[in-house]
Structures are given as C-alpha cells and as structure tokens.
Amino acid sequence: MFSMTGYGKGCASGDGREITVELKSVNHRYLDVGMRLPRHLSFLEDAIRAALTARLSRGHIDVFVNYRNLRSDARTVEIDVPLLSAFVAAAQEANKTLGLRDDLSLTAALRLPDVSNVRETDEDSDAVLLLLQSAINSAIDALLAMRRQEGERLCGYLSGCTDTVLSLTEQ
C-alpha cells in the first residue's frame, strides 16, 4: 500500500556542475506535474516528464530543480566599450564646464549602468541531462520510499480501525 503524499530529493554532481531535484507529491487522480527550474534549463522539461511518467502513475508532483555551474568557463564578462567611451566623453565635457576634480577610474567606470554585464555561457546540454537523469532517479527513489513508509503507516492505522470495528461487532 502506497500513500500519495511524499517527498524525495536527489543530487548529482560532476565536471564542476551540481544539480538538485526535489519532488513533492500529494494526492491527485492523474499524474499532474508542475515544474520550477531555471529558465536556461527549460530544455530538461521533457526528460523530467518522461522520468516521472515511467515510474509514477498518479499524484500531483511539484518538481524543483536547482543548478550550479562552478566551472571557470561558466560565465563571461562583457564590457560595452562604446557606451563606456560615451560616459567618459560626457564626463570630460562636463568637467570642462564645471571644473571638478577628475577621479574617474576604471573600477568606477565599470560600475556605471549597463557598462558591464556578466553573461552565463551556454550549457553543455548533454552533460546537464546526464546529471539530471541521475538526480531525478534518486529523487524518485526517495519519493517512492517515503510513499511506501506512509502507506505502511496508513495500512497499520486502517487495520487497527478494522480490528476495532470487528471487536465492536462481535460484542
């Protein structure tokens, strides 16, 4: 006997990447899946649904995916040199008029709005998919184990209720 309520968590890491999948299940007549994952990992949705459909038949399943790319090539920094040049030219022009002390440094210039941008590099979808498969299978295993434990407790409770009804019937 399995309960419909449960929680499972699975983690996988490799090659500087870490992925965590959390599943929360409640009763539902059919298999209903809701997902929350980073936008840049939306390509994983079909694989998540396939893994869940293969092993679960009912329940409302909330899926939470957290991902960290710790590789040195995970991000690039882009500097908008033309915009920075325009800021510097405008500052120099204002300085001619106002006669202020020029304390513009590269560090200060990089703090100006929209001058620098940190961009996530494109993910290696095959590597991320491999990690996902490991993490989601672990999460499903944990979810099913919790559903089984909850089902055993429920079965024990119902068995006790049945024994009480039988005892009262005999009296």
Side-chain angles (χ1 to χ4, degrees):
M1 182 174 201
F2 284 84
S3 171
M4 294 305 300
T5 304
Y7 172 83
K9 180 177 180 177
C11 302
S13 62
D15 195 27
R17 295 176 175 93
E18 296 175 355
I19 194 164
T20 302
V21 176
E22 294 179 83
L23 305 174
K24 187 177 88 172
S25 170
V26 294
N27 190 22
H28 195 273
R29 191 170 173 183
Y30 306 105
L31 183 61
D32 177 43
V33 179
M35 287 189 228
R36 293 198 182 162
L37 60 156
R39 176 172 276 154
H40 69 284
L41 297 181
S42 60
F43 67 92
L44 297 174
E45 284 189 28
D46 288 340
I48 293 169
R49 284 188 196 284
L52 293 171
T53 302
R55 298 189 53 200
L56 303 171
S57 59
R58 357 179 355 213
H60 173 78
I61 313 293
D62 285 320
V63 181
F64 303 94
V65 177
N66 290 308
Y67 176 75
R68 290 180 36 189
N69 188 337
L70 305 171
R71 297 166 46 95
S72 61
D73 63 350
R75 294 176 191 86
T76 58
V77 177
E78 299 170 342
I79 297 175
D80 188 340
V81 176
L83 180 61
L84 180 55
S85 296
F87 269 119
V88 170
Q92 289 171 343
E93 188 63 33
N95 192 28
K96 286 179 189 175
T97 305
L98 301 173
L100 300 173
R101 184 174 68 91
D102 183 9
D103 65 346
L104 184 63
S105 66
L106 180 59
T107 304
L110 291 176
R111 288 189 194 122
L112 292 169
D114 302 322
V115 169
S116 62
N117 181 35
V118 178
R119 189 176 71 79
E120 301 284 331
T121 57
D122 292 334
E123 288 294 341
D124 178 353
S125 57
D126 292 335
V128 175
L129 185 59
L130 261 162
L131 286 177
L132 171 78
Q133 289 170 339
S134 175
I136 196 156
N137 282 324
S138 295
I140 293 170
D141 290 342
L143 174 70
L144 290 174
M146 183 175 270
R147 280 180 161 190
R148 185 178 303 111
Q149 290 171 350
E150 182 70 21
E152 288 171 0
R153 282 193 293 268
L154 185 58
C155 186
Y157 172 75
L158 291 175
S159 180
C161 289
T162 303
D163 292 343
T164 302
V165 169
L166 288 174
S167 173
L168 291 172
T169 303
E170 288 175 5
Q171 288 177 3

